[in-house]
Amino acid sequence: MNILVINCGSSSLKYQLINSDTEAVLAKGLCERIGIEGSQITYQPAGGEKEITVSPMPTHTQAIQLVLDALTNEKTGVIKSLDEVGAVGHRVVHGGEKFTTSTLLTDEAMKAIEECNDLAPLHNPANLIGIRACQELMPNTPMAAVFDTAFHQTMPQEAYLYGLPYEYYEKYKVRRYGFHGTSHSFVSKKAAEMAGKPYEDLKIIVCHLGNGASLSAVDHGKSVDTSMGLTPLEGLIMGTRSGDIDPAIMEYIAKKENLDIAGVMNVLNKKSGVLGISGVSSDFRDIENAANEGNERAATALRTFNYRVIKYIGAYAAAMNGVDIIAFTAGLGENDKNMRKAVCDHLSYLGVKIDEEANNVRGVDRIISTPDSAVQVMIVPTNEELAIARETLALVK
């Protein structure tokens, strides 16, 4: 079965067509600037050249139509008709407490997703627009929603409750939800497979490190804690997000800078993190280059980021009363050998030992700890699109 995976944002749309039998990517691409002048679609069939076409996309329906046209194009298309698409899997950011697993998209499910819009006002409405556009153009094709938050719904109360009046949880569902769940699920399962041990027997810490970054503690196959919270702002220092701060800082900065709550939130979400500390960039490659050239603030940003990762690993090892595997994934986790080494060099108390030669790689499945390391350390490239395709297949079979 061919499964179309859609990841829809407010003005962009990423897509992949995956053969669920072989798990091969038949084609992939991106629609950019939807609803904005200068919109374009990128399309790349497997083994073929990347094609970029500038075309008006006033709405997401037109964007989806362009995707379907590209997939069925006589010259470069990879399928002859839409009948060859067996199902569509949609990434949905927030499922609240309503969705503990992926779900088939029914009218009832759509209404429940819409009720979570307050929890993810920038993402869920855009996800829903993409779903409705697909339903309009492919009314007879089964569709599924795969939630960023679902994997973390196994967290116990003590991990997800905040120290706030309980009525805020009861009335508004203010609690830790966590994100990147599709990635944490995929990577933790793959790590167990690489270790050659049953998933349900292991304590795994997944380090999803990129411009957006989060850690999770996966205890015997269940997420028991994760660093992001009600929103993706909590947790690690990230590319532009502050991560954990004293909440009183918000009032202090608001008064000093004459900002309202929206202004402060803009600072915390878009002007902070390693960008804010370094003053160089939100891209870790730029910061590392600057640090190598003697920029002290850039070096400080890297050390501060690494320190937060080290602290969270220690916290999750304590929470699970031990750890068997630490897995690095996402853009930074998969590709930055210096960051992995800097973090692991501070984990000797756990018995972690890194094989420097094994660590000298980018973006491949690899055990990078020594045979006598008490904890296995791995690089596990994430594949959220494949995870969405697998979840979708399981629901429509």
Side-chain angles (χ1 to χ4, degrees):
M1 181 190 294
N2 295 326
I3 295 175
L4 178 61
V5 175
I6 298 288
N7 181 351
C8 195
S10 57
S11 62
S12 66
L13 185 154
K14 289 194 286 188
Y15 65 92
Q16 284 192 11
L17 185 67
I18 296 173
N19 181 311
S20 64
D21 298 325
T22 63
E23 297 195 336
V25 177
L26 304 179
K28 62 182 179 180
L30 171 69
C31 296
E32 299 174 272
R33 299 179 64 82
I34 300 169
I36 306 168
E37 198 173 329
S39 52
Q40 65 180 35
I41 177 172
T42 303
Y43 169 74
Q44 186 172 20
E49 294 293 318
K50 187 181 287 186
E51 303 170 10
I52 299 176
T53 306
V54 176
S55 180
M57 299 178 209
T59 71
H60 287 73
T61 303
Q62 279 91 349
I64 298 283
Q65 185 65 65
L66 286 169
V67 170
L68 302 179
D69 290 346
L71 293 172
T72 56
N73 181 285
E74 281 188 13
K75 289 183 178 178
T76 57
V78 292
I79 53 176
K80 290 181 180 176
S81 78
L82 294 183
D83 294 339
E84 294 180 47
V85 178
V88 182
H90 294 269
R91 178 198 179 214
V92 178
V93 167
H94 218 304
E97 290 188 327
K98 299 173 189 293
F99 296 101
T100 58
T101 59
S102 303
T103 187
L104 285 172
L105 283 162
T106 60
D107 290 344
E108 187 182 357
M110 291 287 284
K111 186 173 181 295
I113 293 169
E114 203 166 328
E115 288 168 2
C116 297
N117 282 0
D118 283 353
L119 294 169
L122 297 178
H123 296 95
N124 270 36
N127 301 154
L128 284 164
I129 288 168
I131 292 168
R132 291 192 178 106
C134 275
Q135 288 175 329
E136 183 182 334
L137 296 168
M138 307 170 74
N140 299 316
T141 305
M143 302 196 185
V146 180
F147 301 92
D148 276 12
T149 52
F151 180 63
H152 301 305
Q153 282 296 301
T154 51
M155 283 189 288
Q157 269 199 324
E158 59 267 28
Y160 71 68
L161 283 179
Y162 289 117
L164 295 168
Y166 193 73
E167 66 192 81
Y168 295 156
Y169 169 63
E170 292 180 305
K171 290 196 291 187
Y172 312 121
K173 296 303 176 189
V174 174
R175 51 158 285 181
R176 178 182 309 282
Y177 288 99
F179 298 87
H180 295 145
T182 309
S183 174
H184 285 286
S185 174
F186 178 88
V187 170
S188 57
K189 291 181 176 78
K190 181 71 176 178
E193 189 182 304
M194 287 169 63
K197 295 176 181 175
Y199 186 48
E200 297 76 16
D201 291 352
L202 295 167
K203 297 176 180 180
I204 303 170
I205 296 173
V206 177
C207 306
H208 178 110
L209 306 178
N211 201 279
S214 64
L215 267 73
S216 67
V218 184
D219 192 353
H220 294 83
K222 292 182 177 179
S223 173
V224 294
D225 207 346
T226 190
S227 56
M228 285 179 168
L230 173 73
T231 75
L233 182 57
E234 189 180 359
L236 299 173
I237 289 170
M238 304 176 220
T240 63
R241 295 181 188 131
S242 66
D244 298 335
I245 62 164
D246 177 347
I249 289 171
M250 297 175 70
E251 181 191 26
Y252 185 79
I253 296 297
K255 288 179 176 176
K256 293 289 186 183
E257 295 285 324
N258 194 27
L259 295 172
D260 60 10
I261 188 67
V264 175
M265 293 307 293
N266 185 57
V267 170
L268 297 183
N269 274 297
K270 297 183 178 178
K271 297 181 179 180
S272 300
V274 291
L275 168 64
I277 297 171
S278 71
V280 172
S281 173
S282 63
D283 190 310
F284 284 85
R285 292 167 295 189
D286 296 339
I287 297 170
E288 196 162 320
N289 289 337
N292 291 337
E293 291 168 3
N295 185 316
E296 185 50 40
R297 273 179 60 185
T300 299
L302 294 176
R303 287 197 305 271
T304 310
F305 174 82
N306 292 346
Y307 180 71
R308 288 290 182 90
V309 176
I310 291 161
K311 277 178 69 175
Y312 264 100
I313 289 173
Y316 289 167
M320 294 191 292
N321 194 21
V323 58
D324 301 303
I325 296 172
I326 297 169
F328 288 95
T329 193
L332 187 66
E334 294 168 24
N335 296 306
D336 193 328
K337 64 178 182 180
N338 296 324
M339 180 277 300
R340 293 190 299 260
K341 184 179 186 309
V343 168
C344 291
D345 281 352
H346 280 76
L347 304 177
S348 57
Y349 72 97
L350 291 173
V352 169
K353 295 180 183 176
I354 289 295
D355 181 328
E356 300 223 13
E357 188 177 339
N359 185 42
N360 190 23
V361 292
R362 295 169 56 89
V364 295
D365 291 321
R366 175 75 63 89
I367 294 172
I368 59 170
S369 50
T370 60
D372 62 338
S373 178
V375 178
Q376 280 195 305
V377 182
M378 303 176 179
I379 304 167
V380 185
T382 192
N383 191 333
E384 292 175 271
E385 289 80 12
L386 177 56
I388 291 169
R390 286 175 175 173
E391 295 271 331
T392 302
L393 178 67
L395 286 166
V396 301
K397 254 187 170 179

